[in-house]
Amino acid sequence: MRRLLTVLLFLALIVVAGITAAFMIHMNPRPVKSQARLAITERENGSIFLSWAQVEGAECYNVQISAIETDGSIGDTLLEVSTDETSCALPELPLDRELSFVVTAKFKEDEPTEVPKADSYIEVKGFICAPNTSKLERRTSVDDATVTLSWDVSEGDSYQLYQVDENGNLTPIDTPDNGLKTMNFGENGEYSLPGMGEAPMMIILEATRETDSLIYRKRCSPVISIDRNSLMGTDPDLSFSDNGDNSYTLYWQETKGNGYKVELWDDNDNKWNEVADFSLEDERIYNTGHLKSNRSYHYRISVKGGASLPSVGMDGSTDEVVITTSTSEYYALIWPMKDLPIYATITDSQPVGTAKAAKAYCVANVAEGIEYDRFYIEDGTVAGYIDSRYCMINLSDYLGDLCSYDITNSYGSIFKVHEFGVNDITGKVLPGYENVHREDGTFLVPLLYPVAKKLEVAARQALVEGYRLKIYEAYRPHETTRFIYDTTNAQINNPVAVRTFSGMPMELFLKDSGNDIFNEKINGRVDTDALAEKYKTGIYDSSEVIPESDADASVNLNTETQQAYARSFVNQTQELKGAEEAMKLAELINTGNYEITVSNLPEGGSIDGKGYIHTADGKEVLDEVGYWTWAAFELKEINRATYTDIHGNEMPSNKYGVIFNDFITRNGFRMGSFLAVSGSRHNKGTALDLTLEDIETGEELKMQTAMHDLSVYSVTGKNNEMAKVLDRIMTNVAGFNGIVSEWWHFQDDKIVNELSDLPYLEKGIDSECYYTKDGKTFNQMNADGTFG
């Protein structure tokens, strides 16, 4: 019985020794064969250690490594060392010779032990069989956040993947057996990404080669560090979702870098403007808030680089998206055409307040009705719903970039009579348009809401055909209509200027345009070919086209003589009367607005080059003291109007008898054909003046005349092909009506018939209101569009 117990105890110790040996190197279990007694471990720095199982009660161990001769005898001792550890460092050992490893446990002499001597003595003989681990490769994919390890499995029996903690302790995490291991990180992966600011994940791969009694463990590489940034790309992969009501949310993925900037492109300043800043710890979500109707917004995410992206400096990679909004009334400016009752709900019959005519309000909500929609408004004191049919809506808010806008009456009117400027109108800000041109360069463009819906149909059709509607005028106050009519009508019989408003000589413009006025009143009276050459070369002077007087040349001198005698007069007055008076006289002469007469010139007499007068027979005229008499010049202002051209130069009128009325009251047309005498559809907010522009270039299409040309050349009977395209889109497609005298004018007669009580508005619109900014909070909006 005693012998049997001893055998069982011996077997148990062998098992314990085998298992314990697997723990000794890294204090963690290793997948080794149970009969293995010794383990050789090669660390990343190249050092080699021999380890064994701890023997209970052992005070120290004696290690002896010797070479074995070919005849099996023990040869030279390669290492002999005593240690109190269960491992020892090895010298470089020969791989081509069989070796003997003997580890003997030593006990204190006064401490008896029950460990059998056989269990305190380990002897292993064999060749060292280190695994080949030189072919380990690592690939990191930022697209799917993976790290892939691959290696040659031909020289190893097994492999183990460990995670290393900050103390160097190892935790086995996988036992790959096919030379390939892909580690998936992130929310859907098997491994968690290191958190923000956390230490990287440290892993090692170890190869093992085994014999019956000897294990050789070798790391396939130094410690592999997997930090958060190494699994991140540089592309934020920006995307967005539609929240409804032209509100959107931007999303992007985590990237290398130090943070993110959300930027919005500004077409006016031609640059990116930062709208939000995010740190790495922030949630990568940005809400745009309400965006304006029918616009394209260019957003981008810029990765802040710094040390994480040294190759790109402070700003790293970017990704852009374009958000195109839909048509929406929300947060658009509106103006009631008349005082409208405000109802707390769409079913109430008792109003809670009144929305004032022509006052600006902001649409905070829209309630769809069976007959018509209601706009919800607030003004700081009362809130509720009003009838949308009687409201003008700001087209630049409602239709946005479906159209372009240039409300010239708000900064420099282009009303002209066949390119000839009208005093007090052309180039001026017209009454009623003072608050239309905003500080940011945009315009307020009011049009009755039901008409604006119809205009959207035309705008989208134009885009399909490669054009964009360009609106020059929509609502026009009645006071403006009367001002334009009365001011133009008062000048209808005035001669037009010697140059058009854009600067072309009158004769050239009339000739080049094929105008029959040229043949009637100008042909044969001016050398237009010579004038055209001078104009082309830039030598042209407006005084050259002021014709000579028909009066006696000896009294009313022509332009060339005026200038010659003026120079003579200036020379003498500089000597006798002072330069200031002389130059003032010369400036007056050179304007071409004065005629010179010589009051003391004898009949048939003349003036010499020095300004002295002579009798008809050539004798000098002497004064009472016997000195030669200078010519006495008299200036007489020519009685004709002057006009200011686009360059700010005052231009006199012509002397050929070409008047404004020559372009207006012809072929049955009159002033009232172009300008309303009393009320206009513009005054009801149901008409607009517009043209077409090329969607690619932004250039206006060439019509038969310029916009707002108050002449018979603008009538639809003279429409060119482009004007016919505009007419087709507006009338056939969208259902507007045109008028025969203006190719640019279209109106909605149907809505005027439906809303028989729709009034004319006398004054311009109000531009201050209680405004919903970004669809979130209410603010007072000033006349210039800024917020108070």
Side-chain angles (χ1 to χ4, degrees), residues 238 250 261-276 296-302 315 318-323:
L238 179 62
L250 303 181
K261 293 187 296 184
V262 181
E263 298 173 302
L264 178 62
W265 179 255
D266 188 327
D267 283 326
N268 294 326
D269 295 335
N270 200 35
K271 67 175 184 178
W272 291 99
N273 291 326
E274 181 179 334
V275 295
S296 292
Y297 290 85
H298 293 247
Y299 282 97
R300 80 175 182 184
I301 297 297
S302 289
D315 291 327
T318 61
D319 195 19
E320 301 177 20
V321 293
V322 179
I323 298 175

Side-chain angles (χ1 to χ4, degrees), residues 538-586:
I539 303 175
Y540 166 72
D541 184 344
S542 63
S543 64
E544 295 185 41
V545 296
I546 301 174
E548 299 178 7
S549 170
D550 294 331
D552 185 356
S554 64
V555 177
N556 295 323
L557 307 177
N558 61 33
T559 302
E560 184 178 353
T561 306
Q562 286 179 18
Q563 294 174 345
Y565 282 103
R567 285 192 294 269
S568 175
F569 179 77
V570 167
N571 289 337
Q572 295 176 63
T573 52
Q574 282 178 329
E575 178 182 352
L576 301 176
K577 297 184 178 181
E580 183 176 352
E581 182 179 348
M583 294 307 298
K584 182 176 180 181
L585 176 61

Side-chain angles (χ1 to χ4, degrees), residues 148-298:
T148 299
L149 304 176
S150 60
W151 60 93
D152 184 357
V153 298
S154 62
E155 295 295 332
D157 295 330
S158 62
Y159 299 88
Q160 179 67 47
L161 194 65
Y162 295 93
Q163 183 171 350
V164 186
D165 66 17
E166 63 273 13
N167 297 318
N169 299 322
L170 304 183
T171 300
I173 55 178
D174 197 12
T175 309
D177 59 2
N178 61 352
L180 184 71
K181 171 60 181 177
T182 297
M183 305 177 67
N184 297 283
F185 291 84
E187 296 178 357
N188 300 320
E190 57 182 323
Y191 301 99
S192 298
L193 276 173
M196 293 288 183
E198 291 183 358
M201 180 181 185
M202 313 295 285
I203 61 172
I204 62 169
L205 179 67
E206 188 176 80
T208 301
R209 193 71 182 272
E210 301 183 29
T211 63
D212 290 342
S213 56
L214 184 63
I215 302 172
Y216 200 117
R217 302 185 184 100
K218 184 176 182 180
R219 292 189 182 181
C220 297
S221 71
V223 176
I224 300 171
S225 174
I226 303 176
D227 61 12
R228 192 178 185 87
N229 256 2
S230 67
L231 292 169
M232 302 298 171
T234 57
D235 181 7
D237 192 22
L238 179 62
S239 60
F240 65 90
S241 62
D242 188 345
N243 304 326
D245 187 28
N246 284 344
S247 176
Y248 303 83
T249 299
L250 303 181
Y251 305 89
W252 62 97
Q253 68 181 10
E254 188 177 357
T255 68
K256 288 180 171 65
N258 298 330
Y260 311 94
K261 293 187 296 184
V262 181
E263 298 173 302
L264 178 62
W265 179 255
D266 188 327
D267 283 326
N268 294 326
D269 295 335
N270 200 35
K271 67 175 184 178
W272 291 99
N273 291 326
E274 181 179 334
V275 295
D277 183 86
F278 287 78
S279 69
L280 294 177
E281 291 76 18
D282 294 331
E283 187 177 14
R284 298 180 303 281
I285 294 178
Y286 173 75
N287 293 312
T288 66
H290 175 80
L291 301 179
K292 292 185 177 181
S293 179
N294 287 311
R295 283 178 171 80
S296 292
Y297 290 85
H298 293 247

